[in-house]
Amino acid sequence: MRKSLFVYDVCFRKKGIYTMEILSMQFLMALGTIVLMDLLLGGDNAVVIAMAANKLPENLRKKAILIGTAGAVIIRLVMTLVAVWLLTIPYLQAIGGLILLPIAVKLLVPEKKDEHVKASDSLMGAVKTIIIADAAMGVDNVLAIAGASHGSFVLVVLGFLISIPIIVGGSTLIGKIMDRFPVVLYAGAGLLGWTAGSMIAHDKIFGTMITSAIGDWAGIAIQTVLAAGVILIGFAMSRRAKSQTA
């Protein structure tokens, strides 16, 4: 049976290139993971946007938010696509997984509010602030999405198209949901730990070495241990931080 050219999405794995059927359960689960990561790691971006345009008159404020958000999304998308390509280089995927682990733990630890973004009184100044601040704050998001995509550019683009409007339009609601249901944060942190384990296990060189030394079950074991470890360490650090501020 012949398939349309758009039926398969090409992805990279440690043993070469394979195809993931679009709209298959595997594809939809990966897309859901990327959207969830975008929401968990991108919630502060709407706050940055609002702060940067705060001093502008109402008519310019909306324009600055629209232009700045569009520019930030384009730069973030380019950064993510570059990261997806870089993670196909031997050892870089494993290193990216290790870098992702403290990001996952940090998600569970209460942060001190640091409103360092300065509002601008000009349209272009506000747009510039939004783009630069978003790019600087988005490194963790870029790395997580690149790792979860397993080399799929289609997944990255679809994830952005779905999650960015939600982040910009509903960041307040997202924040309230996370505050009311902490299990969402813990699930997200565990998912990041699982993704970090997947990145390490599927590294072209390091992952192959682990599988050869331990067996085919090594990948699942690493992902499970790191997901559980992130949740436990994050929980312990969160309780410690809360007890110090009490």
Side-chain angles (χ1 to χ4, degrees):
M1 183 183 295
R2 296 184 62 185
K3 296 284 185 179
S4 165
L5 291 176
F6 298 99
V7 169
Y8 292 106
D9 178 29
V10 178
C11 303
F12 296 89
R13 283 287 193 179
K14 62 178 181 178
K15 294 183 179 178
I17 298 177
Y18 78 100
T19 55
M20 182 190 299
E21 190 172 355
I22 293 179
L23 299 183
S24 67
M25 184 58 67
Q26 183 185 16
F27 184 89
L28 293 177
M29 287 179 65
L31 179 60
T33 297
I34 288 177
V35 172
L36 178 58
M37 286 183 178
D38 265 328
L39 297 180
L40 288 171
L41 296 172
D44 291 338
N45 292 60
V47 177
V48 171
I49 292 170
M51 289 170 58
N54 189 46
K55 287 186 178 180
L56 293 176
E58 185 65 28
N59 61 323
L60 291 180
R61 188 179 305 167
K62 292 182 179 179
K63 186 179 290 187
I65 290 174
L66 287 174
I67 298 174
T69 301
V73 168
I74 292 171
I75 290 178
R76 180 82 70 87
L77 183 58
V78 171
M79 288 171 60
T80 307
L81 294 177
V82 170
V84 168
W85 174 75
L86 287 175
L87 291 181
T88 64
I89 300 174
Y91 294 112
L92 283 186
Q93 188 165 344
I95 293 172
L98 293 175
I99 294 174
L100 191 56
L101 289 173
I103 293 173
V105 172
K106 185 181 177 184
L107 190 64
L108 300 176
V109 180
E111 286 188 294
K112 294 180 180 179
K113 297 296 181 182
D114 182 17
E115 299 185 354
H116 61 279
V117 178
K118 296 182 179 179
S120 176
D121 55 6
S122 70
L123 175 63
M124 293 311 298
V127 169
K128 181 180 177 181
T129 299
I130 290 170
I131 293 175
I132 293 175
D134 183 88
M137 292 176 61
V139 176
D140 55 353
N141 186 281
V142 166
L143 182 61
I145 302 309
S149 71
H150 298 297
S152 169
F153 296 125
V154 173
L155 276 173
V156 171
V157 174
L158 284 178
F160 267 90
L161 291 177
I162 294 171
S163 57
I164 292 300
I166 299 174
I167 293 172
V168 174
S171 61
T172 303
L173 177 60
I174 294 169
K176 288 181 179 179
I177 291 174
M178 291 180 184
D179 289 338
R180 186 169 181 180
F181 303 102
V183 67
V184 175
L185 276 179
Y186 281 94
L191 185 59
L192 286 175
W194 180 272
T195 300
S198 177
M199 291 169 69
I200 295 170
H202 291 113
D203 183 86
K204 289 182 177 179
I205 304 297
F206 191 68
T208 303
M209 290 170 56
I210 294 175
T211 302
S212 299
I214 302 177
D216 293 336
W217 55 271
I220 296 296
I222 291 172
Q223 291 172 255
T224 303
V225 168
L226 290 183
V230 162
I231 292 173
L232 292 174
I233 294 173
F235 177 75
M237 292 181 66
S238 176
R239 291 197 63 176
R240 182 179 179 185
K242 289 178 181 178
S243 65
Q244 289 177 346
T245 56

